[in-house]
Amino acid sequence: MKNVLVIYYTQSGQLESIARNIAKPFLDSEEINLTFHEIQLEKPFPFPWNKESFFDAFPESFLQIPTALKPVSEEILNTKFDLVLFHYQVWYLSPSIPINSFLKSDDAKKILNNTPVITISGSRNMWIMAQEKIKVLLRKANANLVGNVALVDRVGNLISVITIVEWMFSGVKKKYLGIFPLPGVSEKDIQESSQFGEIMLDSLQKNNFAQLQPKLVDAGAVKISSYLVTVDKTANKIFNKWSNIIYKNQKNRKQLLKVFNVYLFLAIWLISPIVYILHLITYPLKLKSIKKETQYYQGV
């Protein structure tokens, strides 16, 4: 009998749905003892969000500043797991505050120490740099990253901005104005994610994770957009400056967040289309570096 732990944090319920679908093959196996752990905060963030609380979470999100969590059960802490399926979402190009808080906790270090971990993200579309930050936190917890799945909203970048914001501020997953696509990871992708669970289970049963990631990639678990990688990297540099300025000037925090709000609006609707056009123009000149970059980010 092998012990498998599923860890997740969710507000809308999307990541829990992903977690439970990926876990289906494990639940169906008589050889697996499966445990779920939902990360919970002492002071939960609101959902649906309001504009003020949404932007107020920016500095701490990007700078990965932890907050207090409810403790993990003694049963989980006292169990040695053979595999951990770690689900996370992205806030402001970093792993969400609850996820950062967990990975920096003593509980996480005890659970993940010398343990194989598969990361599963559910995001709008930019997850690359957040995953790089997750890798650092897992190394500090002495975890062994053996696989990664990245589920995203497949609609266009600017359309997904509209639909995701509407979902976050209304709390209702619906077609905005009756014409926009549903926000978030599609229900089809969520339901079909159980195929990734089958690949994970097979590797666990064989006690061999060496070929897990290539098999997940072949099954479509990680798709890379070179344009979004460029935007993600560039935005991280800009967010680093903004978050530090705001966090270090608490007296002017509200005013600075309002300015950041305006900047973010302009960056999304004016700057990102220009970046996209430039990317298309220079794409043929960067094919070699893009191929190398894609191989790296599809791996672990």
Side-chain angles (χ1 to χ4, degrees):
M1 184 70 71
K2 292 184 180 296
N3 295 315
V4 176
L5 178 63
V6 177
I7 300 175
Y8 67 94
Y9 168 79
T10 190
Q11 287 182 302
S12 66
Q14 175 177 270
L15 211 55
E16 180 179 8
S17 180
I18 291 170
R20 293 193 178 279
N21 274 279
I22 286 181
K24 280 182 180 179
F26 294 90
L27 284 167
D28 293 339
S29 173
E30 295 180 355
E31 301 173 2
I32 302 297
N33 178 30
L34 192 67
T35 303
F36 286 86
H37 173 67
E38 179 181 1
I39 297 170
Q40 295 183 323
L41 283 68
E42 289 287 356
K43 185 180 179 182
F45 287 98
F47 189 80
W49 293 81
N50 57 57
K51 191 173 182 179
E52 182 179 356
S53 60
F54 175 76
F55 283 101
D56 191 57
F58 162 63
E60 286 75 13
S61 293
F62 186 81
L63 295 173
Q64 302 178 66
I65 296 172
T67 189
L69 302 177
K70 292 185 177 180
V72 179
S73 71
E74 288 297 321
E75 181 181 358
I76 290 176
L77 290 175
N78 293 326
T79 300
K80 177 57 183 173
F81 292 96
D82 299 286
L83 178 65
V84 173
L85 307 183
F86 189 81
H87 302 72
Y88 75 93
Q89 61 281 98
V90 180
W91 290 5
Y92 291 105
L93 308 182
S94 287
S96 68
I97 291 176
I99 293 299
N100 283 317
S101 301
F102 176 80
L103 287 176
K104 292 182 176 182
S105 70
D106 291 337
D107 286 349
K109 290 171 183 175
K110 183 175 182 180
I111 293 167
L112 302 178
N113 181 49
N114 197 29
T115 301
V117 175
I118 299 172
T119 49
I120 300 108
S121 60
S123 64
R124 184 174 73 86
N125 56 20
M126 281 186 279
W127 56 270
I128 291 289
M129 297 309 294
Q131 178 68 7
E132 291 301 293
K133 296 169 188 179
I134 285 281
K135 289 178 183 178
V136 172
L137 294 171
L138 288 175
R139 282 197 295 269
K140 289 181 178 179
N142 198 35
N144 179 21
L145 179 61
V146 296
N148 178 51
V149 173
L151 299 176
V152 300
D153 188 334
R154 292 179 182 268
V155 304
N157 184 40
L158 296 181
I159 292 176
S160 69
V161 170
I162 296 171
T163 58
I164 292 292
V165 168
E166 168 63 20
W167 185 18
M168 288 189 300
F169 288 170
S170 71
V172 181
K173 188 172 186 177
K174 61 182 180 181
K175 290 188 175 183
Y176 181 52
L177 300 178
I179 57 173
F180 283 85
L182 284 171
V185 179
S186 72
E187 189 60 30
K188 180 176 182 291
D189 284 349
I190 293 175
Q191 293 297 323
E192 292 180 354
S193 65
S194 59
Q195 66 176 311
F196 305 135
E198 292 173 0
I199 297 170
M200 297 171 190
L201 176 60
D202 180 65
S203 293
L204 176 61
Q205 290 174 328
K206 292 177 179 177
N207 294 312
N208 187 351
F209 294 104
Q211 294 303 312
L212 172 60
Q213 191 59 22
K215 289 180 180 178
L216 288 173
V217 171
D218 287 344
V222 184
K223 296 182 179 180
I224 306 296
S225 163
S226 58
Y227 161 65
L228 291 175
V229 171
T230 300
V231 175
D232 199 344
K233 288 181 175 180
T234 303
N236 261 267
K237 294 176 183 177
I238 297 169
F239 277 17
N240 184 55
K241 294 178 181 178
W242 271 107
S243 58
N244 276 289
I245 289 171
I246 296 169
Y247 189 73
K248 293 175 181 177
N249 290 273
Q250 292 296 327
K251 289 184 178 180
N252 300 315
R253 183 181 177 107
K254 288 187 177 181
Q255 291 82 356
L256 288 169
L257 284 170
K258 289 179 181 178
V259 177
F260 172 71
N261 181 4
V262 174
Y263 167 79
L264 191 60
F265 179 87
L266 294 174
I268 290 171
W269 294 103
L270 294 179
I271 300 174
S272 66
I274 295 172
V275 172
Y276 182 65
I277 293 171
L278 292 173
H279 172 76
L280 290 178
I281 295 171
T282 59
Y283 182 82
L285 305 174
K286 301 186 294 184
L287 282 175
K288 187 175 181 180
S289 62
I290 287 174
K291 183 178 180 180
K292 184 177 180 181
E293 189 177 66
T294 298
Q295 290 175 337
Y296 171 76
Y297 289 125
Q298 283 185 324
V300 293

